[in-house]
Amino acid sequence: KAGVTQTPRYLIKTRGQQVTLSCSPISGHRSVSWYQQTPGQGLQFLFEYFSETQRNKGNFPGRFSGRQFSNSRSEMNVSTLELGDSALYLCASSSNRQGRSGELFFGEGSRLTVL
Amino acid sequence: AQSVAQPEDQVNVAEGNPLTVKCTYSVSGNPYLFWYVQYPNRGLQFLLKYITGDNLVKGSYGFEAEFNKSQTSFHLKKPSALVSDSALYFCAVRDMRDSSYKLIFGSGTRLLVRP
């Protein structure tokens, strides 16, 4: 079974640009979550989508947005990039078969560098 | 508010010795507790989880964790450390009452196993 796939793995942008990151969950998983990982703030929850609906949202500015498609694939977008947005962005999927006790399965991440 | 504390930034242990990585948590309701491991430039890998029942949980790669409700702790243990266990370890919590799969992560503990 293929794992969670994130693209691109690495990207470099300049301040003010926007970026879109993609995530393909494990087949059959309907929940997709996004996390930002930085050395200073650690792992922070961005948002979670379940069956195309945003089910929870972290404490990030409106420049951070996401969506989920009918095939459960998800994208997140960051507009007007700032230097502080440089981070590893991790996507995770989960199956609802174990209820909310189920673990998250993470992708390898997309490393964004903002210059 | 939910929170997770990992009091040690780094744990050093000799190969073959037992290891413990500490975690304490705070949630309003009953917790689901998780441990994840991250190798350099990789995503997070699930190690084990506590849902309910036996306080000693066994997971992948010989790791186990002990849930202590009175001390609100969920320490990760392994009887005999391997050099290949060297990595970054994260403790995470989810409130059972949360309708989403959102996890709150600790700051991480770097485990260094010396030969």
Side-chain angles (χ1 to χ4, degrees):
Chain A
K1 203 175 198 182
V4 177
T5 304
Q6 291 188 245
T7 57
R9 288 291 314 278
Y10 302 91
L11 66 166
I12 300 173
K13 294 285 187 179
T14 57
R15 280 180 297 175
Q17 287 187 312
Q18 67 93 25
V19 65
T20 299
L21 308 178
S22 180
C23 173
S24 293
I26 292 172
S27 178
H29 286 193
R30 293 162 63 191
S31 166
V32 174
S33 303
W34 289 89
Y35 290 81
Q36 181 196 63
Q37 185 177 21
T38 60
Q41 299 298 316
L43 280 157
Q44 293 191 288
F45 172 78
L46 280 157
F47 26 64
E48 186 219 0
Y49 289 87
F50 184 86
S51 294
E52 301 179 68
T53 301
Q54 188 179 84
R55 190 156 68 173
N56 204 339
K57 187 178 189 304
N59 189 26
F60 278 82
R63 300 185 297 107
F64 292 80
S65 62
R67 59 178 176 170
Q68 186 181 32
F69 303 96
S70 58
N71 61 359
S72 292
R73 190 178 69 84
S74 177
E75 289 181 348
M76 67 162 284
N77 184 277
V78 188
S79 62
T80 318
L81 284 166
E82 300 176 359
L83 295 179
D85 297 333
S86 294
L88 181 66
Y89 290 88
L90 292 165
C91 170
S93 72
S94 188
S95 167
N96 62 330
R97 290 181 183 177
Q98 293 176 306
R100 293 188 300 280
S101 66
E103 60 267 30
L104 301 183
F105 295 86
F106 284 83
E108 303 276 274
S110 292
R111 184 166 295 282
L112 170 65
T113 301
V114 182
L115 302 176
Chain B
Q2 303 171 59
S3 66
V4 177
Q6 293 182 243
E8 302 153 318
D9 289 336
Q10 182 162 314
V11 169
N12 298 306
V13 64
E15 188 173 33
N17 283 0
L19 70 87
T20 298
V21 183
K22 296 179 180 177
C23 170
T24 58
Y25 66 91
S26 174
V27 295
S28 301
N30 290 317
Y32 295 133
L33 293 158
F34 303 82
W35 276 101
Y36 285 84
V37 60
Q38 185 177 35
Y39 295 98
N41 299 313
R42 304 293 296 273
L44 276 66
Q45 295 179 30
F46 169 77
L47 281 178
L48 51 79
K49 67 181 177 183
Y50 171 82
I51 303 172
T52 186
D54 193 350
N55 289 343
L56 186 63
V57 179
K58 294 188 183 296
S60 307
Y61 313 119
F63 284 94
E64 57 189 29
E66 186 168 12
F67 171 67
N68 187 316
K69 187 172 183 177
S70 62
Q71 297 185 5
T72 61
S73 66
F74 189 55
H75 300 331
L76 182 69
K77 300 176 187 250
K78 187 173 183 181
S80 178
L82 299 172
V83 172
S84 57
D85 292 331
S86 297
L88 188 56
Y89 290 80
F90 290 96
C91 180
V93 66
R94 178 187 299 141
D95 191 324
M96 285 187 185
R97 302 173 305 171
D98 191 339
S99 61
S100 75
Y101 287 103
K102 173 185 175 181
L103 286 179
I104 302 297
F105 284 90
S107 55
T109 298
R110 189 165 301 281
L111 174 65
L112 182 59
V113 182
R114 58 186 185 276

